[in-house]
Amino acid sequence: MKETDNTRISNHAGAGARKLHIRVKKKAGTIKASSRRWLERHLNDPYVHQSKVDGYRSRAAYKLIEINNRYKLLKKGQKVIDLGAAPGGWSQVVARIVGSNNENPSVIGIDYLHIDPLPGIILLEMDFLDEETPQKLLDALGDRPNIVLSDMAAPTTGHRRTDYLRTVHLCEVAAEFALSVLKPGGHFLVKIFQGGTEKELLTMLKKKFKSVHHVKPSASRAESVELYLLAHEFRG
């Protein structure tokens, strides 16, 4: 990483360390301690390093890879909708496994944030909460999906309870969408935050799917309150 006016980065290995550790040193008055800690953690994250090696756009790709390795969700030829797809890591994983390509795309990614083009993936830059979005997703896919994925989280306001409730709302809307479009036997995977009100969502999914699991992949940081709900085999 290039040295800037705001930070100075040094590589060092502590006693007994097996690999270099990147430390971000603060110049007085130029960078907050919390920002320095976040940057240092990011630079030393093995999943961040591996994502660059493997060509994935985000470390989040390994969360989906781990979940899929455990539950065998993704299969060749499936049609998949990825909600909250930016920057595209999950969509990349899906496209590689299901065999989506530019000639016959079977993966749709949507986010209100811009996503640079990805091979084999149709990307929609729009808000999932817009009224016309569900139909546009189905029209773009050309069929009902086998899987709906949601890694969505609401933009933070700084107020923890408000941020939590806004994300819970996104989870519920994503679940309602999945229930309305999934093919029988399909799966729904959604990110939630621990806090209590997800119990209503869990109850609803248990009625509609053969099994529902809480999943905390190792690629999720230990201090994070995020979890994933996997609803397996839609009853239709």
Side-chain angles (χ1 to χ4, degrees), residues 19-213:
K19 59 183 179 180
L20 290 176
H21 177 79
I22 301 173
R23 173 172 291 173
V24 180
K25 295 184 178 179
K26 176 185 176 184
K27 288 186 177 180
T30 60
I31 184 171
K32 292 181 179 179
S34 59
S35 299
R36 188 175 73 255
R37 288 193 299 269
W38 180 90
L39 182 57
E40 190 168 293
R41 181 183 65 182
H42 182 77
L43 291 171
N44 289 285
D45 189 324
Y47 291 103
V48 172
H49 290 279
Q50 193 60 41
S51 67
K52 298 181 186 304
V53 173
D54 294 339
Y56 291 121
R57 288 190 176 172
S58 70
R59 68 185 305 284
Y62 299 101
K63 302 175 188 178
L64 182 58
I65 290 171
E66 183 178 338
I67 294 170
N68 185 62
N69 286 344
R70 181 174 177 183
Y71 292 99
K72 311 300 181 186
L73 305 177
L74 298 166
K75 296 178 176 62
K76 197 81 169 177
Q78 287 176 325
K79 293 183 178 292
V80 182
I81 293 177
D82 181 11
L83 308 177
W90 275 27
S91 292
Q92 287 179 290
V93 172
V94 174
R96 291 178 182 181
I97 295 175
V98 305
S100 184
N101 55 60
N102 290 337
E103 291 69 36
N104 186 28
S106 59
V107 179
I108 307 293
I110 179 174
D111 206 298
Y112 68 88
L113 299 173
H114 176 72
I115 307 174
D116 290 335
L118 286 165
I121 301 164
I122 298 173
L123 297 170
L124 302 182
E125 188 174 336
M126 59 190 306
D127 192 334
F128 176 65
L129 297 179
D130 289 347
E131 186 175 342
E132 69 273 17
T133 297
Q135 189 58 51
K136 287 191 175 182
L137 283 167
L138 288 178
D139 290 345
L141 190 62
D143 197 0
R144 296 166 68 189
N146 303 98
I147 300 176
V148 173
L149 305 172
S150 174
D151 201 29
M152 293 190 295
T156 57
T157 65
H159 187 275
R160 182 174 297 180
R161 186 63 179 171
T162 298
D163 293 341
Y164 170 76
L165 291 174
R166 291 174 67 186
T167 295
V168 167
H169 175 64
L170 282 178
C171 295
E172 292 171 345
V173 175
E176 291 171 1
F177 171 72
L179 292 175
S180 69
V181 300
L182 275 174
K183 291 181 178 179
H187 315 304
F188 173 55
L189 178 65
V190 60
K191 177 164 67 180
I192 63 172
F193 291 149
Q194 302 173 59
T197 57
E198 72 271 8
K199 290 180 181 178
E200 295 180 7
L201 176 62
L202 185 62
T203 299
M204 177 179 68
L205 294 177
K206 283 182 175 180
K207 293 178 180 178
K208 299 294 184 179
F209 291 83
K210 184 175 180 180
S211 62
V212 181
H213 310 272

